[in-house]
Amino acid sequence: MSGVRAVRISIESACEKQVHEVGLDGTETYLPPLSMSQNLARLAQRIDFSQGSGSEEEEAAGTEGDAQEWPGAGSSADQDDEEGVVKFQPSLWPWDSVRNNLRSALTEMCVLYDVLSIVRDKKFMTLDPVSQDALPPKQNPQTLQLISKKKSLAGAAQILLKGAERLTKSVTENQENKLQRDFNSELLRLRQHWKLRKVGDKILGDLSYRSAGSLFPHHGTFEVIKNTDLDLDKKIPEDYCPLDVQIPSDLEGSAYIKVSIQKQAPDIGDLGTVNLFKRPLPKSKPGSPHWQTKLEAAQNVLLCKEIFAQLSREAVQIKSQVPHIVVKNQIISQPFPSLQLSISLCHSSNDKKSQKFATEKQCPEDHLYVLEHNLHLLIREFHKQTLSSIMMPHPASAPFGHKRMRLSGPQAFDKNEINSLQSSEGLLEKIIKQAKHIFLRSRAAATIDSLASRIEDPQIQAHWSNINDVYESSVKVLITSQGYEQICKSIQLQLNIGVEQIRVVHRDGRVITLSYQEQELQDFLLSQMSQHQVHAVQQLAKVMGWQVLSFSNHVGLGPIESIGNASAITVASPSVRNGPESGSKIMVQFPRNQCKDLPKSDVLQDNKWSHLRGPFKEVQWNKMEGRNFVYKMELLMSALSPCLL
Amino acid sequence: MGVTCVSQMPVAEGKSVQQTVELLTRKLEMLGAEKQGTFCVDCETYHTAASTLGSQGWSAMVRSQLTATSTSQVQVILLPQPSQVAGIIGQTGKLMYVMHNSEYPLSCFALFENGPCLIADTNFDVLMVKLKGFFQSAKASKIETRGTRYQYCDFLVKVGTVTMGPSARGISVEVEYGPCVVASDCWSLLLEFLQSFLGSHTPGAPAVFGNRHDAVYGPADTMVQYMELFNKIRKQQQVPVAGIR
């Protein structure tokens, strides 16, 4: 054995300390190893004191036998000593099992080595390959996996399919229930939006505005009926509803109030023949049931009828300078001469015939939506007034009306007080005033815009105010020259457009009232533009250091202007006369010695007199360079001013 | 409502009522007054019927009638007179006057001679119809004055012909000074104005002013003055017959 190379054997003890606890971060807490006394106690507990010393002898004999077999592979030096000791070995030592394992491992290895050496010779032993089943191809394990997965998935699928079946069944049941929806649940939905009451065995509803304060005598009742024309054999239509509403026949269809302003006077034969353009119905909320749209349309028709009834009553009763004409479904009045305001109730039914036309025509362009909207607002305001605290509550014995009117009898009010109580303006008057204002405003805007596009030299700018009243708007008009805005800003006008007049406030404090005539505004603006030119020259002279000799806003000399007055300014040398119609006339003075046609006088002999200023000559203004009047003036003045080196 | 003075203008010598009215209106127009429509004040007389039920029964009956109609709104102005209550109940022959004034178009006045004056709304007339059992209308008792209404700055002048049935009995002149409501403060001003166009026929201070000269003047006082005027004219029944030609 000593010739054989030694094999290194690593020996590792089992874990020295037992793990008491593993912390959350992986640290191990070890149990403290047993001390000597503890170990001894543990071993002592193992000793079975009941057995005699015979067992000890047996044990001793057992160990002797083991000791003999011990090869002592690790330490050859101790071998001889150990043999001697082997015979007398009183107790087992801890490395005994290790020794046994090593011995058996050695034996095995030796046997293997021997067998391999014999097999190598092939004389006495040969290796015979063991027949094995052919190795399955690489996919085989995967197919197996696939099959097993499929099976497991099929099991899961089965469960899911069962569940899905159950769900579909319940959904279809629900669908069927929905289609055969309860009449009562639908009725409940209807009650959430509309007032219903039961009269006998009929269910009636109220779609009028009476509860909101209206005094219109229309009853506005609709009936709720069960929809029983359901054919169970055929497929149930999607929009099937077990409930149907029957609205009064005069509220069917859709209506709107058309308010328009026309310029031409009406032809007597044309009255009452308003084209009923069917306005496309406002889109109802998606998902709202058909009865809701039907009832809302009917309510709109009722409101339009009430508005028109109120307007026509006022048109007939109220005395005004120009009487209003009420023909069939149209009210015509003349807010301004040559202007016609027509308010008409357009009620179109839902016949199939009219629907054909509806797709062709669209809403007319002259319909003023603002006024229609305002009419709706005004009638609602009127409704609210009847419910306000000055009207309600009222004693049962008193007539319906304003609270103070009830006291007018007992407190002996005279006519002035009674008049002050009664509301001054009716719906028609208010709408006419609003229409007048709208028309005046649009016309003023058109006038200013046309002037701005037509005349380029002094520019006209209009800044409209965002905050307007129904009866008043305002606009600030500035007249400037391009490039000289900072110098020439003397013409700034504030126009307040009212119902019948336009009030102009000038920057210099003058207040002028213009009538509704369009020509007045135009003339006024033209005259302001002409004055601006002359003002501009004045400012320019100041800037350029020229002396202003005379300045007049309204000059009495020269050709008469048809609009406004001409204004003139004389600066040392160039002299300007500007009128709104005649345009501008600029004259320049030359010194006497440059004038050829001046007669020489005998009195003035000295040469110095020839440097005085001589007669004026007109400048050909259209040949001057410059994009606007002020620019041209500046060039002229700079050309004429002497350069001092 | 300002302080008002109601007086009678005697018919001029040798002229009819109509002519005197015309004279007066011409004078007013020369002063500078502008015509502002017409006016009318009328008066009906009722006397309380003899009550067979006694005082309590009558008031209970009246109460039930009032609740049955219940359409009239009333406001009572009590003039400080002692025997008002006693005057209403039980005594026969007491006269009640129901008057209307176009200046207060929605009101109706009911008054007793020295008693309370009631201001109600026009439904009071309907109520009177229901109270036919207790208030009987005197025969041919309706008296009224109609004429033109003139405005002269702060003064409102009404010159009217008093008629009873078809015949004209006299002329009533009413002058109201709008800005003032206390009689004693403006009586001298009123007097001066009356003198300017009535001349010698200017009346003295009305009795109503004497009673409550520091209190606020009200429409009821005007109606009392009219009632006194009408009574006076009624008593003058015989005289105008000779005057009219």
Side-chain angles (χ1 to χ4, degrees), chain A residues 19 36 60 101 129 149 180 196 259 268 351 444 468 555 578 609:
Chain A
V19 177
M36 281 294 287
N101 284 336
K149 269 196 188 156
Q180 291 164 9
L196 301 174
V259 184
I268 298 293
D351 294 344
N468 295 330
V555 142
N578 199 334
W609 299 112

Side-chain angles (χ1 to χ4, degrees), chain B residues 147-220:
Chain B
T148 38
R149 193 167 167 262
Y150 287 93
Q151 175 92 30
Y152 182 55
C153 300
D154 290 327
F155 292 97
L156 199 62
V157 183
K158 296 179 193 158
V159 179
T161 319
V162 181
T163 52
M164 199 155 143
S167 56
R169 295 299 180 87
I171 302 165
S172 76
V173 176
E174 178 197 327
V175 177
E176 178 186 338
Y177 181 58
C180 185
V181 288
V182 178
S184 59
D185 288 343
C186 66
W187 171 240
S188 39
L189 181 66
L190 264 175
L191 189 65
E192 203 176 311
F193 180 69
L194 285 165
Q195 272 171 355
S196 69
F197 72 98
L198 287 178
S200 52
H201 305 293
T202 314
V208 210
F209 287 12
N211 287 340
R212 15 185 291 122
H213 58 148
D214 274 339
V216 172
Y217 190 89

Side-chain angles (χ1 to χ4, degrees), chain A residues 261-266 334-341 439 443 516-517:
Chain A
I261 293 178
Q262 286 124 25
K263 286 241 172 99
Q264 67 279 7
Q334 285 204 323
F336 293 124
S338 86
L339 198 72
Q340 174 201 336
L341 172 73
F439 179 73
R443 202 159 64 170
Y516 59 87
Q517 304 272 8

Side-chain angles (χ1 to χ4, degrees), chain A residues 165-408:
Chain A
E165 240 181 71
R166 245 185 254 155
L167 280 174
T168 46
K169 241 195 271 180
S170 67
V171 163
T172 45
E173 267 175 25
N174 257 357
Q175 283 282 352
E176 284 170 10
N177 284 346
K178 213 167 40 153
L179 293 175
Q180 291 164 9
R181 224 168 10 199
D182 215 7
F183 173 76
N184 289 330
S185 62
E186 198 66 18
L187 191 67
L188 195 68
R189 281 180 74 187
L190 185 65
R191 274 197 75 187
Q192 283 173 349
H193 297 275
W194 302 90
K195 275 200 317 202
L196 301 174
R197 64 182 195 274
K198 198 164 166 87
V199 173
D201 59 346
K202 281 201 284 194
I203 301 172
L204 299 176
D206 182 19
L207 53 74
S208 72
Y209 279 88
R210 249 194 305 236
S211 57
S214 162
L215 298 173
F216 197 53
H218 196 282
H219 55 88
T221 43
F222 63 91
E223 197 184 329
V224 179
I225 50 178
K226 233 178 189 166
N227 197 358
T228 49
D229 60 342
L230 173 71
D231 205 350
L232 286 166
D233 293 338
K234 293 189 197 160
K235 187 183 163 212
I236 298 168
E238 279 197 14
D239 54 351
Y240 165 70
C241 190
L243 194 141
D244 203 7
V245 289
Q246 200 172 44
I247 50 180
S249 57
D250 55 344
L251 298 180
E252 276 173 16
S254 66
Y256 72 102
I257 304 262
K258 179 175 171 223
V259 184
S260 66
I261 293 178
Q262 286 124 25
K263 286 241 172 99
Q264 67 279 7
D267 206 5
I268 298 293
D270 280 347
L271 290 177
T273 59
V274 178
N275 283 329
L276 300 181
F277 291 106
K278 179 170 175 172
R279 203 157 61 167
L281 282 172
K283 268 191 188 160
S284 54
K285 263 179 17 195
S288 64
H290 80 284
W291 40 258
Q292 180 73 2
T293 41
K294 228 172 157 182
L295 289 171
E296 280 176 1
Q299 200 176 45
N300 188 39
V301 173
L302 186 59
L303 188 68
C304 290
K305 283 193 173 212
E306 182 178 351
I307 293 172
F308 194 75
Q310 173 83 3
L311 288 172
S312 45
R313 191 178 29 232
E314 285 173 16
V316 171
Q317 282 174 358
I318 292 172
K319 295 173 205 168
S320 68
Q321 284 171 345
V322 180
H324 314 289
I325 306 171
V326 181
V327 174
K328 271 205 243 175
N329 67 335
Q330 199 179 20
I331 298 171
I332 299 173
S333 73
Q334 285 204 323
F336 293 124
S338 86
L339 198 72
Q340 174 201 336
L341 172 73
S342 98
I343 304 173
S344 42
L345 171 68
C346 300
H347 184 186
S348 53
S349 57
N350 272 334
D351 294 344
K352 290 200 181 143
K353 270 188 273 178
S354 60
Q355 281 193 10
K356 268 190 260 164
F357 294 107
T359 50
E360 294 164 15
K361 291 172 192 169
Q362 285 167 3
C363 276
E365 285 142 15
D366 60 348
H367 171 57
L368 293 164
Y369 288 101
V370 177
L371 290 181
E372 187 197 349
H373 178 68
N374 283 354
L375 272 174
H376 280 257
L377 288 179
L378 285 172
I379 201 86
R380 286 293 301 131
E381 212 181 287
F382 176 71
H383 290 171
K384 279 180 200 152
Q385 263 186 13
T386 57
L387 291 178
S388 65
S389 61
I390 47 171
M391 301 282 205
M392 304 277 274
H394 71 100
S397 56
F400 200 68
H402 198 283
K403 192 157 68 175
R404 291 198 72 206
M405 280 297 279
R406 286 178 230 140
L407 299 173
S408 59

